[in-house]
């Protein structure tokens, strides 16, 4: 809306300038026209952002004086008429409907000095133009407000859906995982009670407990996959720095290139890669130090987790955590790699476009 109004205002002044240059209008009309253009293009945004009633009325009154002056001095030129349209549109955006009606009703008074019939005809025409501009602007404002309300309602619906899903997962944890762990506890207690007298019976009970524990683990994985909460909306380098401080072993964070905003799901994936990498270093690498590298160098962004540990022995396909990271990278058009050699540490690398 602001850009369109600015373009219309400049077009009105250019039209007035052409009329003056062609000798059809007095050059004195350029002064109020120029002042109107400057105020309407540079002042409107500042006034609209400030919810100050007196300022809005004062701005509209000043614009009204300049627009009327340009219209009268230029003898009702097309450029000055367009300026009056800008005046009505901006007044509709800034003022209550009653004040806008006053501005529109003042427009026909500009033709007071003309012959009666001609003045009535021109006045009614100008009144119709002003009323049309106000009605269209008000309709656009209502559509904008409706879109904003719809967006807010959509956010509320999404929040309710998330809450409902979390409640469902909580129920599943209680009914599934809670039950499985209760059975495991009972089987272990029973096995301990008969361990000395009937080892075979105890072994059977422990076998059932193991089966229930495996079922409980599957339930945990399902629940974790459903929850997958997003990390707080903080800058990625800051989030990684907090991660290194809680890593449990000396960890250095290096950021290369100029940090830039990324897609939320890209930042989430890079954070999760760093989290999983440092977790694996702490559990399995037997390392004394780790390095976290975040590289913003074009054309994409790269995150590396390196350590000086024992390296990965056997397959580097990884477990559930690395599988999830590979899925994240693939969905974003990137890739995840794990390079390692026994005794030479490991490097987990995620590369994403953006």
């Amino acid at each position: 809306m602001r850009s369109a109004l600015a373009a219309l205002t400049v077009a009105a002044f250019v039209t007035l300038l052409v009329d003056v240059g062609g000798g059809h209008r007095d050059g004195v009309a350029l002064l109020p026209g120029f002042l109107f253009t400057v105020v309407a293009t540079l002042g409107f945004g500042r006034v609209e952002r400030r919810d100050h009633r007196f300022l809005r009325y004062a701005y509209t009154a000043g614009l009204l004086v300049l627009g009327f002056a340009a219209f009268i001095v230029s003898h009702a030129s097309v450029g000055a008429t367009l300026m009056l349209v800008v005046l009505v549109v901006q007044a509709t955006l800034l003022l209550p409907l009653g004040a806008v009606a006053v501005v529109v009703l003042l427009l026909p008074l500009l033709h007071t000095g003309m012959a009666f019939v001609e003045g009535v005809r021109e006045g009614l025409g100008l009144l119709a133009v002003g009323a049309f501009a106000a009605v269209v602007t008000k309709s656009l404002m209502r559509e904008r407000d409706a879109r904003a309300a719809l967006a807010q309602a959509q956010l509320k619906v999404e929040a309710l859906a998330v809450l409902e899903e979390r409640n469902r997962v909580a129920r599943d944890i209680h009914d599934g995982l809670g039950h499985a762990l209760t059975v495991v506890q009972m089987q272990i207690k029973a096995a301990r009670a008969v361990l000395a007298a009937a080892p075979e019976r105890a072994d059977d009970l422990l076998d059932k407990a193991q089966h229930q524990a495996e079922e409980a683990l599957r339930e945990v994985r399902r629940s974790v996959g459903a929850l997958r909460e997003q990390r707080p909306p903080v800058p990625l380098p800051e989030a990684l720095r907090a991660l290194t401080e809680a890593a449990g072993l000396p960890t250095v964070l290096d950021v290369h290139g100029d940090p830039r905003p990324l897609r939320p799901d890209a930042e989430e994936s890079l954070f999760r890669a760093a989290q999983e990498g440092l977790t694996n270093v702490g559990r399995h690498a037997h390392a004394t130090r780790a390095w976290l590298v975040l590289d913003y160098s074009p054309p994409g962004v790269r995150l590396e987790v390196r350590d000086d540990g024992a390296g990965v022995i056997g397959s580097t396909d990884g477990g559930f955590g690395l599988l999830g990271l590979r899925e994240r990278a693939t969905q974003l058009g990137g890739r995840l790699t794990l390079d390692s050699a026994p005794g030479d540490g490991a490097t987990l690398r995620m590369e994403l476009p953006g």
Side-chain angles (χ1 to χ4, degrees), residues 6-299:
L8 179 60
T9 306
V10 173
F13 181 72
V14 170
T15 303
L16 180 61
L17 190 63
V18 170
D19 282 341
V20 171
H24 303 293
R25 295 291 186 272
D26 191 346
V28 178
L30 290 178
L31 179 57
F34 176 76
L35 292 176
F36 182 97
T37 303
V38 172
V39 173
T41 54
L42 300 182
F44 175 71
R46 294 179 173 84
V47 174
E48 187 184 36
R49 285 190 293 268
R50 296 181 60 183
D51 190 14
H52 194 289
R53 184 177 180 181
F54 176 78
L55 179 63
R56 292 188 172 199
Y57 277 99
Y59 170 83
T60 305
L63 218 57
L64 184 68
V65 171
L66 293 173
F68 276 29
F71 187 88
I72 294 172
V73 175
S74 66
H75 303 290
S77 69
V78 175
T81 303
L82 291 176
M83 289 181 183
L84 295 180
V85 173
V86 173
L87 166 66
V88 172
V89 172
Q90 291 195 2
T92 306
L93 292 170
L94 296 175
L95 304 180
L97 192 58
V100 176
V102 172
V103 172
V104 173
L105 290 175
L106 287 175
L107 298 181
L109 298 180
L110 292 170
H111 297 284
T112 302
M114 300 177 64
F116 179 77
V117 176
E118 185 179 2
V120 170
R121 183 182 68 247
E122 296 294 331
L124 290 176
L126 191 57
L127 179 65
V129 170
F132 179 78
V135 169
V136 170
T137 304
K138 205 66 178 178
S139 299
L140 292 176
M141 291 173 64
R142 288 175 178 171
E143 182 180 357
R144 178 195 63 189
D145 294 341
R147 288 178 180 273
L150 181 61
Q152 289 295 326
Q154 182 65 28
L155 290 176
K156 291 181 179 179
V157 170
E158 292 175 358
L160 289 174
V162 170
L163 180 60
E164 178 63 26
E165 180 64 13
R166 288 183 180 274
N167 290 337
R168 184 193 67 80
V169 173
R171 288 193 298 267
D172 290 346
I173 292 175
H174 178 270
D175 297 339
L177 181 59
H179 172 73
L181 291 179
T182 301
V183 173
V184 168
Q185 182 188 36
M186 293 173 61
Q187 297 288 356
I188 292 176
K189 284 183 177 180
R192 292 183 64 184
V194 301
L195 182 59
E200 293 181 359
R201 173 62 177 162
D203 184 72
D204 181 62
L205 291 170
L206 290 174
D207 182 71
K208 291 180 179 179
Q210 181 180 352
H211 175 75
Q212 288 292 333
E214 290 171 352
E215 178 60 31
L217 181 59
R218 285 192 288 270
E219 185 67 29
V220 168
R221 287 177 174 173
R222 284 195 295 268
S223 300
V224 169
L227 288 174
R228 282 193 177 185
E229 61 180 359
Q230 293 184 347
R231 62 185 181 85
V234 298
L236 182 58
E238 183 179 334
L240 294 179
R241 188 167 292 107
L243 196 61
T244 60
E245 293 173 356
L249 77 162
T251 304
V252 177
L253 172 64
D254 290 326
V255 180
H256 302 303
D258 296 324
R260 59 182 181 274
L262 304 173
R263 290 172 48 182
D265 49 357
E267 291 201 352
E268 179 70 13
S269 297
L270 293 168
F271 178 82
R272 293 303 181 191
Q275 191 177 50
E276 178 69 13
L278 290 177
T279 299
N280 288 339
V281 170
R283 288 180 178 176
H284 311 299
H286 306 291
T288 60
R289 294 183 65 82
W291 293 266
L292 199 57
V293 178
L294 178 61
D295 190 357
Y296 285 96
S297 300

Side-chain angles (χ1 to χ4, degrees), residues 321-332:
L322 291 181
L323 177 61
L325 291 179
R326 284 196 175 91
E327 291 174 351
R328 287 176 179 269
T330 301
Q331 290 174 356
L332 294 170

